[in-house]
Amino acid sequence: MKTLIVHAHPEPKSLNGSLKDHAVSVLEAAGHQVRVSDLYAMGWKAAADAADYGPHASSPLKVPLDSGRAFEAGELTADVRAEQEKLLWADTVILQFPLWWYTMPAILKGWVDRVFTYRFAYGVGEHSDTKYGERFGEGTLAGRRALLSVTVGGPAPHYAARGINGPIDDLLFPIQHGILYYPGLEVLPPFVVYGGDRLTPEQYPAVAAAWEQRLLTLETTEPIPFRRQNFGDYEIPALHLKEGLEPAGRTGFGLHTRA
Amino acid sequence: MKTLIVHAHPEPKSLNGSLKDHAVSVLEAAGHQVRVSDLYAMGWKAAADAADYGPHASSPLKVPLDSGRAFEAGELTADVRAEQEKLLWADTVILQFPLWWYTMPAILKGWVDRVFTYRFAYGVGEHSDTKYGERFGEGTLAGRRALLSVTVGGPAPHYAARGINGPIDDLLFPIQHGILYYPGLEVLPPFVVYGGDRLTPEQYPAVAAAWEQRLLTLETTEPIPFRRQNFGDYEIPALHLKEGLEPAGRTGFGLHTRA
């Protein structure tokens, strides 16, 4: 197994840093290859702008078109090309981050914004009246797996089905479905640590053991059964889920996961 | 009316840039005061780190505690203090951004991560077994309004109730409820422009007119009726919505909006 860990926390001695270090140790001890993109340590540039798209960026800038042209011309910046190469090298991608304001930290969003360019992660395949690209089950990263490892400050009940923050599965849907599944990654159920801000040293070993168990079963864990776009579940061109496919009472994001 | 526009697009001549400029013109012509935080033009630092929290940041860094201590000691960086002051000055806050990967661009997330510090935007009020802070309807920014103005590349049907991306209201919930309503802002229904990447010059005047209509009714538009945390709708301490309060069939994020 070849695993890329993308890590997004400013403090190496944080819970996130410990989980990242533990993942490297566990996976390497099991004979796997591991590469780490430690975004804070790398000084990752978060804001996508014209400088990302080489000497031929258009003016006015068109982010999708310019990113796709620069990708195809090999004119993306070296830091972005290196991340795209790591994604193509890996068969498993782990994003390690704290949930800040209900989503990923800015530095990790900036990794997505800059690395997931047009023609690489979107704008792939035929776009016409009868097909809207190869995505959601197809795409550049098809055949690979992804996993979120997320620490959450608040307690688990606040993220339950009736919890005030909304269900954790719905909060993570725009990342798991919209960012990872979109270019073809199969997404495993997330590893979530609640109450991360109050975790004591005495409680950490149980968290580390649970994480180790997930790491050692990456190859056998069933992915979330998101529906594939181009295999009959959706009306074309509206891309509405066809009536009657969902279990009773399923609405919203939940429509897009098979029963 | 005193409006703060936080703008997040790298190209001044983009659709987002035009909508921002139009908002300034329309609001000023109507006699209102406007301030703009143009994050790209400001060179906004997106990644929260120890440098944000002054000379007394702890090691290892604790993001919530350090941000709260620096806030209370007046030791946050000048750029962050300036944004907090603008938020306290404004009675209306507009976030203008393109939807990139189903959420805000990294530079705007970095504005949230760095400006919405502990003790300013969260960690406000009593936290005990019987109360979990003043948030979701109370907090530092209570009494103010907020509005998202969002451009979306794809077509509207893809974001409808059965659309493959998920409903736009659910995609925006973590921002509207989790970021804006959390510290007390009342959130108006969003202004969303679909198909932004294919908008022609001939189509722009209709978009500008619709935007102008929203801008001139900011003070009379009813906010989204999110439920308040501390006024009886939620069980304490789980913060689960009490059974039976939701309309039939309402689940997920939709539970937290009154009928």
Side-chain angles (χ1 to χ4, degrees):
Chain A
M1 198 166 62
K2 293 187 272 191
T3 302
L4 170 62
I5 302 175
V6 184
H7 173 60
H9 198 285
E11 174 53 63
K13 293 179 182 169
S14 62
L15 174 58
N16 277 269
S18 297
L19 294 173
K20 180 264 291 175
D21 291 343
H22 193 53
V24 174
S25 300
V26 167
L27 291 171
E28 289 187 343
H32 301 298
Q33 297 177 65
V34 184
R35 297 173 73 178
V36 177
S37 291
D38 183 339
L39 299 181
Y40 274 96
M42 294 157 73
W44 183 258
K45 171 179 181 281
D49 60 21
D52 294 337
Y53 307 133
H56 302 106
S58 54
S59 181
L61 182 71
K62 302 275 191 187
V63 172
L65 296 180
D66 276 296
S67 76
R69 183 201 45 72
F71 169 71
E72 291 181 333
E75 292 184 351
L76 292 167
T77 53
D79 59 347
V80 170
R81 282 187 280 117
E83 296 306 303
Q84 291 182 340
E85 286 161 15
K86 288 179 201 172
L87 284 166
L88 295 173
W89 166 85
D91 50 49
T92 306
V93 180
I94 296 173
L95 305 186
Q96 176 69 57
F97 62 96
L99 198 71
W100 284 356
W101 292 102
Y102 301 105
T103 185
M104 50 177 60
I107 200 169
L108 181 54
K109 181 60 183 8
W111 180 83
V112 175
D113 288 346
R114 296 182 61 232
V115 175
F116 279 39
T117 65
Y118 197 67
R119 298 301 185 205
F120 177 76
Y122 69 112
V124 172
E126 177 187 337
H127 284 68
S128 68
D129 288 346
T130 57
K131 188 169 179 184
Y132 197 87
E134 292 166 10
R135 58 175 196 167
F136 297 124
E138 301 173 282
T140 300
L141 301 178
R144 295 167 169 79
R145 288 177 299 274
L147 171 68
L148 302 185
S149 175
V150 185
T151 66
V152 175
H158 295 192
Y159 295 85
R162 301 184 69 82
I164 192 165
N165 296 322
I168 191 70
D169 286 345
D170 285 353
L171 290 166
L172 298 181
F173 180 89
I175 302 173
Q176 296 191 139
H177 181 267
I179 293 174
L180 299 173
Y181 188 59
Y182 190 113
L185 291 157
E186 294 287 340
V187 184
L188 306 184
F191 179 70
V192 182
V193 179
Y194 294 99
D197 292 334
R198 279 166 296 283
L199 195 76
T200 64
E202 291 70 32
Q203 293 169 318
Y204 178 73
V207 170
W211 183 214
E212 182 167 338
Q213 196 274 334
R214 288 298 308 274
L215 291 163
L216 293 177
T217 54
L218 284 174
E219 291 167 295
T220 54
T221 300
E222 283 295 312
I224 300 169
F226 290 131
R227 295 177 187 275
R228 299 199 291 170
Q229 173 176 290
N230 297 323
F231 294 82
D233 284 359
Y234 293 92
E235 294 166 3
I236 304 290
L239 290 181
H240 288 181
L241 182 68
K242 289 178 180 172
E243 293 289 343
L245 291 183
E246 69 273 25
R250 192 80 73 80
T251 60
F253 293 154
L255 292 178
H256 307 289
T257 305
R258 296 191 305 279
Chain B
M1 197 165 64
K2 293 186 273 192
T3 301
L4 170 63
I5 302 175
V6 184
H7 174 59
H9 197 286
E11 174 53 63
K13 294 179 182 170
S14 62
L15 175 58
N16 278 270
S18 297
L19 293 173
K20 180 264 290 175
D21 290 343
H22 193 54
V24 173
S25 299
V26 167
L27 292 170
E28 289 187 343
H32 302 298
Q33 297 178 63
V34 183
R35 296 172 74 177
V36 176
S37 291
D38 183 340
L39 299 182
Y40 274 96
M42 295 156 72
W44 183 259
K45 171 179 181 279
D49 60 21
D52 294 337
Y53 307 133
H56 303 105
S58 54
S59 181
L61 182 71
K62 300 276 192 187
V63 171
L65 296 180
D66 277 295
S67 76
R69 184 202 44 73
F71 169 71
E72 291 181 331
E75 292 184 352
L76 292 167
T77 53
D79 60 346
V80 169
R81 282 187 280 116
E83 296 305 303
Q84 291 183 339
E85 285 160 17
K86 290 179 202 173
L87 284 166
L88 295 173
W89 166 84
D91 51 49
T92 306
V93 180
I94 296 173
L95 305 186
Q96 176 69 56
F97 63 95
L99 199 70
W100 284 355
W101 293 104
Y102 302 104
T103 185
M104 50 176 62
I107 200 169
L108 181 53
K109 181 60 181 8
W111 181 84
V112 175
D113 288 346
R114 296 182 60 232
V115 175
F116 279 38
T117 64
Y118 196 68
R119 299 299 185 207
F120 178 75
Y122 69 111
V124 172
E126 176 188 337
H127 284 68
S128 67
D129 287 345
T130 57
K131 188 169 179 183
Y132 198 87
E134 290 167 9
R135 58 175 195 168
F136 297 124
E138 301 172 283
T140 300
L141 301 177
R144 295 167 169 81
R145 288 177 299 275
L147 171 68
L148 302 185
S149 175
V150 185
T151 67
V152 175
H158 296 191
Y159 295 84
R162 300 183 71 82
I164 192 166
N165 296 321
I168 191 70
D169 286 346
D170 285 353
L171 289 166
L172 298 181
F173 181 89
I175 302 173
Q176 297 191 138
H177 181 267
I179 293 174
L180 298 173
Y181 189 59
Y182 190 113
L185 291 157
E186 293 287 340
V187 184
L188 305 184
F191 179 71
V192 182
V193 180
Y194 294 98
D197 291 335
R198 280 166 296 284
L199 196 76
T200 65
E202 292 70 31
Q203 292 169 317
Y204 178 73
V207 170
W211 183 215
E212 182 167 339
Q213 195 274 333
R214 288 298 308 273
L215 291 162
L216 294 176
T217 54
L218 283 174
E219 291 167 297
T220 54
T221 301
E222 283 293 313
I224 300 169
F226 290 131
R227 295 176 188 276
R228 300 199 290 171
Q229 173 176 291
N230 296 323
F231 294 81
D233 284 359
Y234 293 92
E235 294 167 3
I236 304 290
L239 291 180
H240 287 181
L241 182 68
K242 290 178 179 172
E243 293 288 343
L245 291 183
E246 69 274 25
R250 193 79 75 80
T251 60
F253 292 156
L255 292 178
H256 307 289
T257 304
R258 296 191 303 279

